[in-house]
Amino acid sequence: MNITEAKTQKFIVKFFPEIMIKGSKAKREMVNQLYNNLRALLKRISEEIVLKKSFDKIEVLVPIEVVTEARIKLMDTPGVEFIQEAIQFDNITTLDEIKVKVNEVMGKEIVGKTFVVRAKRAGSHEFKSIDIEQTVGGYMLAYNETLGVKLKGAQVTINLELIDKQLNIITHKFKGLSGFPIGTQGAILSLMSGGFDSTVASYLTMKRGIKTHFIFFNLGGVAHEIGVKQVAFYLWNKFGSSHRVTFTSVPFDDVVTEIFKSTSESYMGVMLKRLMLKAAEKIADNMKIDALLTGESVAQVSSQTLRNLALIDQATTKLVLRPLSTMNKPDIINIANEIGTRRFAESMPEYCGVISKNPVTHGNYERMQKEANNFDYSVLDKAVENAQVTNVDEIIADISDIGQMEVVSDLSTGDYTIIDIRQNEECIKASCETIKIPFYKLKTEFKKLPQDKQYLFYCDKGILSQLHAQYLKDAENFTNIKVYRPAN
């Protein structure tokens, strides 16, 4: 075989070490699952990709024209510890054949450098692995201008595998995702806000081999939902597309309105999290899923103290996993950056904190029960009934970028009325008419206003105003809304 004429690239897939130490039955099941996952993923790239499974590896032959795409998919598949790119030669029986082939492929790599040869052998041969190393090393030393053989700390390591009569020359090695194959560890329902925490948490469960479905509680209208769908699709497509999962969207604006009616101000944040778990539990029951996933980290915000997390967990009988519970925010952001979700998270609002003023940091069990008893749970039941379920692979048409609402900074450019949508009693002072409608009342109150006027939504950070304006435009067909952002 002349390497310049090669039409395929060989990859050797090595398994996550924890797979290798399992009992024989569990190991066999995991290897079979990984093989099936890779087969499903790679066949989408090319029907000509060939896979061969053995007890400690999976060999993959890939047409040259799709090598890059296949390599990326192998590196992003849970269960893969690392992948080796190799050039394969068949019907190799002697040391002389081995040394010539290896020098043909790797000679140029060791010019002007120190090198060492490492060989592994399986099968029946008249020589040992060390004989391969010494013969190849001596031959390459004689026929190339090198700095010599160096057994420790060499600049170039030439890795060889001889399996019966098949010689594999390892040319590159790439780190895989590690973890267990998806499909071996059951399913979980991830509470997705689209921010740093929930996306990283979802990635970690996918990496651990858990089939991760998504549930989203819509507090911000169409724009927010599409943003979360974008990142959910990205995560699934990159790390979990060997299995089909769902995206459930639960309309939660009426739930928030009921919280404002029935719950004391300091307990609103904890109450919202409890209601999300309750709703997720109902959806998970229908899906026959035993566990819920959140991106909460201890002490990151007021609702995430140990006491408050305990109060939140009282709302469900499901197992709640929090893989980020002891992680620092910079570490979470670093992972988001590595996996490619940072660009989504940076533009995604976190709603859970917007409804709490002077939030309790060490809630009381008896007080929490009283607050919970005041809530009208028929509102929550209705929200769950109105939930929309979509297969993640079918939402691609919904995740295209949505147009941003027009922002006005100069009030002299038109005849405007500003609507201050902040939840406090304060109302912005401006050179035009201003009125106060808290964001959680916009859905019902805005339609009562004269619709021959131009309205500007205002809030402190511009997040709520942007998304609620987008919601009323998309869902209710209002065209007389813009966002007010004062010039600094």
Side-chain angles (χ1 to χ4, degrees):
M1 171 183 170
N2 187 325
I3 60 172
T4 62
E5 298 174 352
K7 295 182 179 179
T8 60
Q9 173 68 61
K10 181 175 183 177
F11 292 99
I12 300 172
V13 177
K14 294 293 186 176
F15 308 139
F16 178 49
E18 288 185 41
I19 295 175
M20 301 302 294
I21 63 175
K22 298 292 183 183
S24 57
K25 181 180 178 182
K27 177 185 171 183
R28 184 169 60 252
E29 290 175 350
M30 289 187 180
V31 170
N32 287 339
Q33 185 68 67
L34 179 57
Y35 174 83
N36 291 332
N37 291 354
L38 288 177
R39 189 174 185 279
L41 293 168
L42 295 174
K43 288 297 182 181
R44 295 173 195 165
I45 297 174
S46 172
E47 286 290 339
E48 297 180 11
I49 295 178
V50 178
L51 294 87
K52 180 182 177 182
K53 175 180 59 178
S54 59
F55 77 99
D56 65 340
K57 63 187 175 184
I58 294 173
E59 295 181 348
V60 185
L61 291 177
V62 179
I64 290 296
E65 59 269 19
V66 294
V67 162
T68 300
E69 190 176 355
R71 182 194 300 119
I72 292 172
K73 185 54 67 177
L74 289 170
M75 293 168 62
D76 287 340
T77 299
V80 176
E81 181 65 12
F82 61 87
I83 60 172
Q84 298 170 324
E85 286 189 12
I87 297 175
Q88 176 182 316
F89 296 91
D90 297 319
N91 298 316
I92 301 296
T93 59
T94 68
L95 288 172
D96 286 340
E97 290 175 310
I98 294 173
K99 69 184 184 184
V100 171
K101 291 298 184 185
V102 175
N103 190 60
E104 178 186 355
V105 175
M106 300 299 294
K108 62 183 180 298
E109 302 294 332
I110 62 174
V111 174
K113 300 176 182 177
T114 58
F115 75 100
V116 65
V117 179
R118 301 297 185 196
K120 294 182 179 180
R121 183 184 59 85
S124 178
H125 305 95
E126 295 180 353
F127 46 82
K128 298 180 180 179
S129 297
I130 193 170
D131 297 323
I132 300 175
E133 295 173 354
Q134 292 174 347
T135 300
V136 173
Y139 185 82
M140 296 186 75
L141 185 63
Y143 282 86
N144 299 280
E145 296 293 329
T146 77
L147 295 182
V149 174
K150 189 175 183 181
L151 298 182
K152 291 185 178 180
Q155 292 172 284
V156 178
T157 299
I158 299 172
N159 292 298
L160 310 175
E161 285 188 355
L162 183 64
I163 313 298
D164 294 321
K165 297 181 181 181
Q166 181 189 100
L167 173 65
N168 293 315
I169 304 173
I170 311 302
T171 56
H172 297 91
K173 182 177 178 180
F174 299 93
K175 184 73 176 71
L177 198 60
S178 299
F180 293 116
I182 290 182
T184 61
Q185 307 302 317
I188 200 166
L189 186 58
S190 173
L191 280 68
M192 277 283 287
S193 68
F196 286 103
D197 302 335
S198 61
T199 54
V200 171
S202 298
Y203 157 74
L204 291 175
T205 54
M206 296 164 78
K207 178 180 176 180
R208 198 61 181 171
I210 303 173
K211 185 177 178 181
T212 304
H213 298 265
F214 305 100
I215 185 169
F216 164 64
F217 297 96
N218 195 339
L219 305 175
V222 176
H224 191 195
E225 178 173 334
I226 289 179
V228 179
K229 281 183 175 179
Q230 284 181 324
V231 70
F233 180 85
Y234 172 85
L235 283 169
W236 169 82
N237 189 53
K238 188 169 180 63
F239 304 112
S241 60
S242 58
H243 288 68
R244 205 175 205 190
V245 299
T246 58
F247 183 98
T248 301
S249 178
V250 184
F252 237 51
D253 45 354
D254 289 341
V255 174
V256 171
T257 299
E258 177 59 25
I259 290 175
F260 274 95
K261 290 179 181 177
S262 64
T263 307
S264 299
E265 204 170 54
S266 60
Y267 277 78
M268 286 181 178
V270 176
M271 188 65 181
L272 177 62
K273 293 289 187 69
R274 284 172 59 97
L275 293 170
M276 286 179 173
L277 284 189
K278 277 185 172 295
E281 179 181 58
K282 293 175 183 291
I283 300 294
D285 282 341
N286 293 334
M287 300 174 69
K288 302 189 184 306
I289 290 176
D290 297 322
L292 306 176
L293 171 69
T294 81
E296 290 159 318
S297 177
V298 172
Q300 191 176 112
V301 295
S302 59
S303 66
Q304 294 174 18
T305 62
L306 287 179
R307 169 59 64 84
N308 286 351
L309 290 175
L311 292 175
I312 291 167
D313 278 1
Q314 282 186 327
T316 179
T317 59
K318 296 285 184 186
L319 170 66
V320 180
L321 295 188
R322 295 183 173 91
L324 311 186
S325 59
T326 59
M327 291 181 65
N328 297 324
K329 193 68 173 187
D331 297 327
I332 297 170
I333 293 174
N334 286 340
I335 295 176
N337 192 52
E338 290 171 6
I339 65 176
T341 59
R342 180 171 184 163
R343 67 181 186 272
F344 298 101
E346 285 179 333
S347 61
M348 197 74 63
E350 289 283 0
Y351 269 90
C352 297
V354 302
I355 70 166
S356 290
K357 185 178 180 181
N358 300 319
V360 63
T361 58
H362 194 74
N364 177 278
Y365 287 101
E366 291 75 17
R367 172 70 179 278
M368 186 72 252
Q369 189 57 53
K370 290 180 180 178
E371 299 289 346
N373 290 339
N374 290 334
F375 188 84
D376 181 0
Y377 288 94
S378 66
V379 177
L380 184 69
D381 293 338
K382 184 177 179 181
V384 172
E385 290 173 8
N386 291 331
Q388 299 292 317
V389 182
T390 308
N391 292 316
V392 172
D393 57 298
E394 294 177 343
I395 65 174
I396 186 66
D398 298 329
I399 63 171
S400 57
D401 290 341
I402 192 165
Q404 292 291 299
M405 296 297 298
E406 182 178 346
V407 176
V408 172
S409 298
D410 184 359
L411 296 177
S412 66
T413 59
D415 184 14
Y416 300 114
T417 296
I418 295 177
I419 301 179
D420 188 331
I421 71 168
R422 294 174 296 177
Q423 68 185 59
N424 56 28
E425 296 181 359
E426 180 184 0
C427 187
I428 186 173
K429 293 181 173 61
S431 59
C432 62
E433 181 185 8
T434 62
I435 59 177
K436 183 77 176 182
I437 303 179
F439 72 89
Y440 56 91
K441 292 184 177 180
L442 280 172
K443 183 179 177 181
T444 56
E445 296 300 314
F446 183 78
K447 64 182 65 176
K448 299 177 183 178
L449 298 176
Q451 295 303 313
D452 57 349
K453 292 186 176 183
Q454 292 293 316
Y455 295 98
L456 303 179
F457 285 8
Y458 170 78
C459 67
D460 288 323
K461 296 181 179 180
I463 294 173
L464 289 174
S465 55
Q466 183 73 239
L467 292 178
H468 282 281
Q470 189 73 55
Y471 170 78
L472 289 174
K473 176 184 175 183
D474 294 342
E476 305 290 342
N477 295 317
F478 289 110
T479 59
N480 56 339
I481 306 171
K482 298 177 183 177
V483 170
Y484 178 51
R485 193 171 299 157
N488 293 327

